[in-house]
Amino acid sequence: MTSSNVDFDTAQLPMMKIHDFPTGPYPTRVRIALAEKGLQSRVQFVMVDLYKGEHKKPEFIASKNYSGTLPVLELDDGTCIAECTAITEYLDALDGVPTLTGTTPREKGVIHMMSKRAELELLDAISVYFHHGTPGLGPDVETYQNPEWGFRQRDKALRGMRYFDAVLQRQPYVAGETFSMADITVIGGLIFAMLVKLPVPEECEALRAWYARMLARESVRNQPVFAMLA
């Protein structure tokens, strides 16, 4: 139950590395995209331990990602691509059949708009709550915390859930009629919400029903994060 182009021979693609933390919500977004595209066999995952702060080490920042975040896609020529949206765009273009980021100008625009809203209103807000309103990654990594800001962002995330509930009351997927990168971003947000024990409001029935459908999707249900949450 994926959107990959079954006629495309992925074996002809070069191997890639992904610097990864397998149960992280952001890396999970890229792992879902890989599964949707059928590209798992072309990837070597390189573990970066968030709880040890390995993503903040000077050598990682200098050689892999200036922002000190995960995931990072490293190509065979040494090029490093950070940010989930950028990585998903790259992966989606590899087989010439962009099923996750849109084919027409309209599709591309709407998908990117909704994915950005999902980041701003849900996923990134929960991330701020995690790092500032909870113990986060622990005192060795969380060297500064602003709890008030964290709890404000928690409330923003709840508003974001209500927004996406309204969206999903009128269409089957976040950006319209088909599964896309925007859905993956909201999935990442709800995974993060589960990790920080921030439940979706009971009245958000459309969002809850959509998430149940997404959890039944093969590319989603096999992710390592759900084994940790079980």
Side-chain angles (χ1 to χ4, degrees), residues 106-219:
R106 181 186 182 281
E107 286 177 348
K108 288 178 179 290
V110 172
I111 289 168
H112 279 254
M113 174 183 72
M114 296 306 289
S115 187
K116 188 64 176 178
R117 285 182 180 175
E119 288 182 337
L120 292 173
E121 304 298 327
L122 185 61
L123 181 56
D124 291 350
I126 295 173
S127 178
V128 173
Y129 169 58
F130 172 71
H131 290 293
H132 289 274
T134 79
L137 294 172
D140 292 338
V141 180
E142 310 291 3
T143 57
Y144 168 76
Q145 290 186 300
N146 184 332
E148 181 183 359
W149 179 238
F151 286 110
R152 286 189 180 185
Q153 292 300 296
R154 178 201 61 187
D155 295 342
K156 180 180 180 179
L158 291 170
R159 291 194 299 271
M161 291 177 188
R162 293 185 175 95
Y163 166 73
F164 285 106
D165 179 70
V167 168
L168 291 162
Q169 287 177 27
R170 59 179 184 266
Q171 60 195 38
Y173 296 96
V174 173
E177 297 301 314
T178 58
F179 183 87
S180 73
M181 178 174 65
D183 295 279
I184 295 175
T185 308
V186 176
I187 291 167
L190 295 187
I191 288 172
F192 216 156
M194 293 171 70
L195 289 168
V196 299
K197 296 179 172 52
L198 182 65
V200 176
E202 289 290 338
E203 67 269 20
C204 293
E205 294 180 2
L207 179 60
R208 286 175 169 271
W210 168 87
Y211 191 44
R213 286 194 293 119
M214 296 303 101
L215 292 177
R217 199 174 180 93
E218 183 180 354
S219 63

Side-chain angles (χ1 to χ4, degrees), residues 1-229:
M1 191 173 175
T2 67
S3 305
S4 59
N5 178 11
V6 295
D7 296 324
F8 183 77
D9 182 8
T10 59
Q12 65 187 281
L13 296 174
M15 288 295 296
M16 301 170 281
K17 290 181 182 178
I18 291 185
H19 300 270
D20 174 69
F21 188 74
T23 58
Y26 291 87
T28 296
R29 290 170 63 186
V30 169
R31 284 173 169 264
I32 293 171
L34 286 166
E36 287 287 328
K37 302 297 290 185
L39 293 173
Q40 302 98 314
S41 65
R42 307 311 301 163
V43 172
Q44 173 191 354
F45 289 101
V46 180
M47 173 73 167
V48 180
D49 195 328
L50 296 179
Y51 285 92
K52 293 181 179 178
E54 292 178 351
H55 58 307
K56 300 297 185 183
K57 300 293 185 185
E59 56 269 26
F60 183 86
I61 290 172
S63 64
K64 305 304 178 189
N65 183 10
Y66 168 82
S67 299
T69 58
L70 294 177
V72 178
L73 171 66
E74 183 174 356
L75 307 182
D76 60 353
D77 67 356
T79 299
C80 288
I81 302 174
E83 309 304 333
C84 294
T85 299
I87 295 170
T88 302
E89 287 180 336
Y90 178 87
L91 297 173
D92 204 25
L94 284 179
D95 62 1
V97 184
T99 55
L100 299 176
T101 56
T103 55
T104 68
R106 181 186 182 281
E107 286 177 348
K108 288 178 179 290
V110 172
I111 289 168
H112 279 254
M113 174 183 72
M114 296 306 289
S115 187
K116 188 64 176 178
R117 285 182 180 175
E119 288 182 337
L120 292 173
E121 304 298 327
L122 185 61
L123 181 56
D124 291 350
I126 295 173
S127 178
V128 173
Y129 169 58
F130 172 71
H131 290 293
H132 289 274
T134 79
L137 294 172
D140 292 338
V141 180
E142 310 291 3
T143 57
Y144 168 76
Q145 290 186 300
N146 184 332
E148 181 183 359
W149 179 238
F151 286 110
R152 286 189 180 185
Q153 292 300 296
R154 178 201 61 187
D155 295 342
K156 180 180 180 179
L158 291 170
R159 291 194 299 271
M161 291 177 188
R162 293 185 175 95
Y163 166 73
F164 285 106
D165 179 70
V167 168
L168 291 162
Q169 287 177 27
R170 59 179 184 266
Q171 60 195 38
Y173 296 96
V174 173
E177 297 301 314
T178 58
F179 183 87
S180 73
M181 178 174 65
D183 295 279
I184 295 175
T185 308
V186 176
I187 291 167
L190 295 187
I191 288 172
F192 216 156
M194 293 171 70
L195 289 168
V196 299
K197 296 179 172 52
L198 182 65
V200 176
E202 289 290 338
E203 67 269 20
C204 293
E205 294 180 2
L207 179 60
R208 286 175 169 271
W210 168 87
Y211 191 44
R213 286 194 293 119
M214 296 303 101
L215 292 177
R217 199 174 180 93
E218 183 180 354
S219 63
V220 179
R221 69 171 181 260
N222 292 329
Q223 294 304 318
V225 66
F226 294 112
M228 183 184 75
L229 288 166

